[in-house]
Amino acid sequence: MILKKISLSNFKNYELEQLEFSSGVNCFVGKNGMGKTNLLDAIYYMCMCKSNFAVNDRNIVRKGEPFFRLEGAFLRNELNEKLVCKVIPGTKKTIELDDVPYAKILEHIGHYPIVMIIPDDTLLATEGSENRRRFMDMTLSQMDQDYLRHLMAYNRVLKQRNAALKAFAKQGNFQLGLINTYNQQLLEPAAYISEKRKHFCTGFEPVFAEVYKNVSGDAEQVEVNYKSHLLEEDFEDLLIQTMERDRILQRTTIGIHKDDLVFKIDEFALKKFASQGQLKSFVLSMKLAQYELLYLEKNIYPILLLDDIFDKLDGDRVRQVLELITNGKYGQTFISDTHPNRVQQILTELGIENKQLKIENGKAVLIENEEA
Amino acid sequence: MNFSSKLIEDAVMAFSKLPGIGKKSALRLVLHLMNQETVHTEQFSEAILKMRRNIKNCKNCHNVSDQDICNVCNDPHRDRSLLCVVESIRDVMAIEDTGQYRGLYHVLGGVISPIEGVGPDTLYIDQLIIRAQAEEVKEIIMAISPTIEGDTTIYYITKQLKDTNVGVTTIARGVAFGGELEYADELTLGRSIISRIPYGSR
Ligand SMILES: Nc1ncnc2c1ncn2[C@@H]1O[C@H](COP(=O)(O)OP(=O)(O)OP(=O)(O)O)[C@@H](O)[C@H]1O
Ligand SMILES: [Mg+2]
Ligand SMILES: [Zn+2]
C-alpha cells in the first residue's frame, strides 16, 4: 500500500500544503518545532481517524481556524483510492473513501494498516499496563473490526458499571440487579477480546524474537507473555467474587481492562535488568514485529512511520534498522530527523532510493538528491 | 444584532432560546408576527400557554395526555394484552405513525445510564412491573434503542419480570444498531414491530 499524495488544510501548523511521496523511503528533515511529527501524524490520522498523540480534534485544527481537512491519494491492492477526512470540532467528523462517507468511522480502521514508531515507545516497557494494552488494541483493531467493536462495547459497559458503583456509594444503597446486568453485558466482549489477545501473543512472540535478533544483533532470549485474570478463572465467577471489593472501591477491579504483557530478557524481567540500549532495541523490535504481523494478517504492506529515528538509536543501529526495513519485507516508509542529511547519507551508502523533504514552519520543500 | 426596540429584542431572545432557532430565524419570526393582525399572535400565545399549563402525563403509561388517562389507554379497541415499552413520548408518536401497532404503551422516560445520573429508580420501571402483574398483559415488546444503555435497560427489566407470566420480545433489529429509534423511517419501524422476536434469541 502506498500513499502517493497528501493535501493538508489547517492541520496543526500546516495552513495549506500538498506533497507527493516516493513509494520507498521518504525523509522529513528540519529543525525542532517545524512540523515533522505533525506531518507524520497527518498520515496516521488518515489511517486511524485520530491523532497518535491522544490530542482531541479541537487542538489539531490550526489555531484560529474553524476546521481541518486531509486528503490522501492511496494505492491499495493496485487500486487508486481517495481518502478525505473533514473535521469541524463540535460536529460529527466525516471520513470519505472515494467520496462515499463511512456510516461508522470504525469501518475504516484497518483499511490502511499503519505502524508509528515514536521516541515515547519506551513507555511500553517502563510505564503502566495501559500502554501495553493499547499496543495490543492498536494492532488487533487494525486486524479485526469486531475486536474494536467489542472493545468499545466493553469500555462503555465498564464506564456505566463504575458510574453505577459511584452512585450507589453516594446514595448509600446497592442495586444488585443492575450490577448483575452489567456483569452479563461484560461477559461476551471480554471473552472475545481475551481470546484475541491470547491468540495475538502466541503469534507475536516468534516474529518478535526474530526481529529482536536482527535489531540488537544479540542472542538473548526474549519473551512476551499475556497476563489476564480471565486466563485463571471464569470471568463471571470472578465478578461475583470481587463484587464486595468493587462496591467498596467504587470501581470494577477485575477484567480485561487490567490485562498486561510481561516482558522478559533471558528469563529476567525486562524493566529491572535491561540496559537502556536493550530497552530501546526491545520496544523498537516490538513495533517492527507489530508491522510484520499486520502484514501477515492483511497481506498489505502497512505504512511505516519512524519519528525522530536518531533519538532512539546511534548511527550503527540506525543503519541496521534502515537495512532491515528496506530488505523487501517492509513497504513505504516515512522518517523524520532533525539533522539535514544524516539519514540520507546512510540511505545513499546503502544504495536505497529516497525522497528528502525539508520541513520549515508548516511548509515542505523538496531537496534534490546530490548524487545524480 | 442591534435592535431599535427593546420589545423586539426581548421577543427575539425568547424565540432564540428554542432548539434549532438562531437569532436570524428568531428575528424573522418576530417580524412576521409583527406584520400580522394582533389577534394571530394572541391565538398563537394562547395555544402555547394552554398546552403548557394543561398537558399531563397519562397515569397509566406516562404518555402525554390531555386527561389523566391518555387516548390510547382509553381506547376500548386497543389490545390490552400487549405492552410496548419505549424510552420517550416521541417513540410513541413514531410507532403510532406506522399504524401497525394496536396494543398499549409504557413510556420509561429514558434508559438506564448512571453516567448521566439515570438509575432504574429514575425511570418508570417499577410502574411497568406493577402493570405487568396487575393487568391482563401477555407480552411486553421492548422498542428500545439498540445501544449499550438500551441493552442494559432491556436486560434489567427482563430480570425483574422473571416471576411474572409475560413473554418479552424485542423489535426486530431492522433498526440500524446504534441508531435512535425516532430516526428509523416508518416502514422499517412498522415492519420491525410486526416481526418482533422473543428476547434472548438474537
Ligand atoms: N493546532 C495547531 N495550530 C498551530 N500550530 C500548531 C498546532 N498544533 C501544533 N502546532 C505547532 O506545531 C509545532 C510542532 O510541530 P512538530 O511537533 O511537528 O515539530 P517537529 O518538527 O516534529 O519538531 P521536533 O524536532 O522538536 O520533534 C509547534 O510549533 C506547535 O506550535
Ligand atoms: Mg517531532
Ligand atoms: Zn396511557
Side-chain angles (χ1 to χ4, degrees), chain A residues 116-135:
Chain A
M116 184 165 191
I117 297 177
I118 54 172
D120 267 358
D121 282 341
T122 39
L123 300 179
L124 258 175
T126 56
E127 296 298 310
S129 59
E130 71 273 12
N131 293 287
R132 292 175 288 282
R133 284 192 299 276
R134 181 163 183 258
F135 175 76

Side-chain angles (χ1 to χ4, degrees), chain A residues 104 152-154 156-157 159-161 163-164 167-168 171 173 175 177-178 180-182 184-185, chain B residues 112-116 119-121 147-153 155-156 159-160 176-179:
Chain A
K104 291 220 152 84
M152 286 165 69
Y154 182 91
R156 183 75 189 170
V157 176
K159 216 170 145 187
Q160 291 286 15
R161 193 181 189 269
F168 296 160
Q171 300 155 12
N173 65 357
Q175 286 165 322
L178 186 56
N180 277 334
T181 299
Y182 287 130
Q184 289 304 316
Q185 278 185 293
Chain B
I112 300 173
S113 177
I115 293 173
E116 277 136 312
D121 24 343
T147 57
I148 299 283
E149 289 73 20
D151 281 347
T152 305
T153 310
Y155 188 91
Y156 180 84
K159 279 279 152 189
Q160 307 283 306
F177 194 86

